[in-house]
Amino acid sequence: MPLVLDLPRSADVVILGGGFAGIATAWALSQRGVTDVVVVEREADIGRFASGRGAGLGRQLAEDDTLTALTVRGAQVLRTSFPQAWTATGGVLSFDNVDHAQAYSERAARFGVVAEPITREMLLGHWPSLSNVEVAAALHVPSDGVIDIGVLLAAYAKDVQIACSRRVEEIIPLQGGARVITNRGDIVGRFIVDATGAWAGQIVGDPPLASHKRHVYLLAAEATAGSPFVWHLGACELYVRGAGGSVLVSPCDSTLEPAGDAVPDAEGETKLRRAFAGSPLETAPIARAWACQRTFTPTGAMNLGRDATRPWLAHAVGLGGHGATASAAVGETVAAALKSGL
């Protein structure tokens, strides 16, 4: 990816944040012929926090129709335009409530996503270690997959100008744009995109979003070859997938904490062991543990597009943990909103 050693004096679009939201927006703008774009990232590399720490589950059926529209479209782009970052594994959504499963089945039908009901026994044929999880219904989604997040970030960033190690200190509105002041130079943009993830709002003067810490673990255990990932949506939410010769899991914990470099803690491991109590995964050695932050707007919906009162500002925030799968659609949505003003 082209790194900007010295910030140019100006650009059509200045994107704050080099995670999935920001880099995918830059990619989507280039697809629309807008190439005078600079991404400003405060870390030494892109995707250092939430974007680089996800589990890479390409789950299309999300909590509501608005979000599902983005994840379905995003997965479609990844399968067709970035096949090097997508592995077709299929996915299983399991439920401890039949009505909840029915709602997801109906959502799948509305979006044309094949979701086949499977029995608990069929699920356990792939993942016998989930025998103690209460499963009242399950849906197999053959078109789901696993995303190599490092490969995808690099692919989005291939032709993007990125200025790393720049901390934004202030934004000064101007006639027809705004000046971004960093610790290593200034740049004027016709449009500024806030894609700062857990830090969203802090620089542009909006209320902060809610950041929730979640743990992910790599366990020294083996998955059945060819098994789809499983995401259990119930009172005890969890997900599990094969990862080479190991098993990647999360107890889907959610602890509200300030934006920052999330680190794993003992409480997370306690939740992990509780989620898999009675199964071989309860005692499997932890090969690696990490934590990330998922960021939510007050309504839970992503905030994508032009600001209502500041013509120079756009938002790409509140991805809520669906950033990798929805990233292409997020970028397309924000880029389309900006294109109308360029």
Side-chain angles (χ1 to χ4, degrees):
M1 61 185 176
L3 295 179
V4 179
L5 299 180
D6 294 305
L7 280 177
R9 295 181 63 184
S10 64
D12 282 338
V13 182
V14 178
I15 299 173
L16 311 182
F20 271 124
I23 298 296
T25 297
W27 163 81
L29 283 165
S30 71
Q31 300 299 296
R32 289 159 174 75
V34 181
T35 57
D36 188 15
V37 178
V38 175
V39 175
V40 177
E41 167 57 46
R42 72 176 191 171
E43 299 298 323
D45 200 357
I46 61 174
R48 291 288 294 272
F49 295 107
S51 295
R53 301 182 186 183
L57 300 184
R59 170 187 159 191
Q60 296 171 90
L61 299 179
E63 296 90 301
D64 57 49
D65 282 12
T66 300
L67 184 51
T68 297
L70 293 166
T71 49
V72 169
R73 169 58 184 167
Q76 178 188 30
V77 174
L78 298 192
R79 289 192 299 264
T80 57
S81 299
F82 301 99
Q84 71 274 31
W86 180 274
T87 301
T89 62
V92 171
L93 302 180
S94 60
F95 308 85
D96 57 13
N97 183 297
V98 173
D99 292 339
H100 198 190
Q102 181 61 29
Y104 270 76
S105 180
E106 293 170 359
R107 185 170 300 122
R110 287 195 293 274
F111 284 91
V113 175
V114 174
E116 308 160 337
I118 62 171
T119 65
R120 182 176 184 275
E121 288 68 31
M122 294 169 69
L123 185 155
L124 294 180
H126 290 292
W127 289 98
S129 56
L130 299 181
S131 59
N132 285 355
V133 176
E134 182 180 350
V135 176
L139 298 172
H140 176 231
V141 182
S143 58
D144 277 352
V146 171
I147 302 165
D148 187 320
I149 54 180
V151 169
L152 181 58
L153 279 167
Y156 281 143
K158 180 180 178 183
D159 297 313
V160 175
Q161 296 186 89
I162 305 171
C164 290
S165 300
R166 259 78 171 189
R167 184 182 66 255
V168 177
E169 297 178 339
E170 187 180 2
I171 298 177
I172 301 174
L174 305 171
Q175 185 69 31
R179 181 182 300 278
V180 177
I181 300 175
T182 82
N183 62 321
R184 296 174 60 198
D186 304 349
I187 182 171
V188 173
R190 293 174 62 187
F191 290 103
I192 310 300
V193 179
D194 184 4
T196 54
W199 290 265
Q202 293 185 12
I203 298 297
V204 301
D206 287 341
L209 303 188
S211 299
H212 294 256
K213 178 178 176 178
R214 170 166 289 182
H215 287 80
V216 185
Y217 298 91
L218 199 63
L219 302 182
E222 291 188 8
T224 303
S227 294
F229 70 76
V230 175
W231 198 316
H232 183 66
L233 299 169
C236 181
E237 186 178 357
L238 57 86
Y239 59 68
V240 56
R241 75 167 175 89
S246 304
V247 174
L248 187 150
V249 303
S250 174
C252 294
D253 52 319
S254 184
T255 304
L256 188 66
E257 64 174 28
D261 186 359
V263 296
D265 56 44
E267 184 178 355
E269 183 175 348
T270 298
K271 292 176 180 177
L272 165 73
R273 301 308 187 186
R274 185 183 304 131
F276 293 95
S279 83
L281 296 183
E282 180 185 6
T283 56
I286 295 174
R288 181 185 167 210
W290 66 97
C292 64
Q293 288 185 312
R294 299 172 304 126
T295 307
F296 299 87
T297 66
T299 65
M302 296 184 190
N303 184 6
L304 309 176
R306 301 278 292 275
D307 188 83
T309 61
R310 292 165 286 184
W312 51 269
L313 179 63
H315 304 277
V317 301
L319 275 56
H322 291 278
T325 309
S327 56
V330 167
E332 289 176 338
T333 301
V334 180
L338 292 173
K339 176 69 174 178
S340 64
L342 291 169

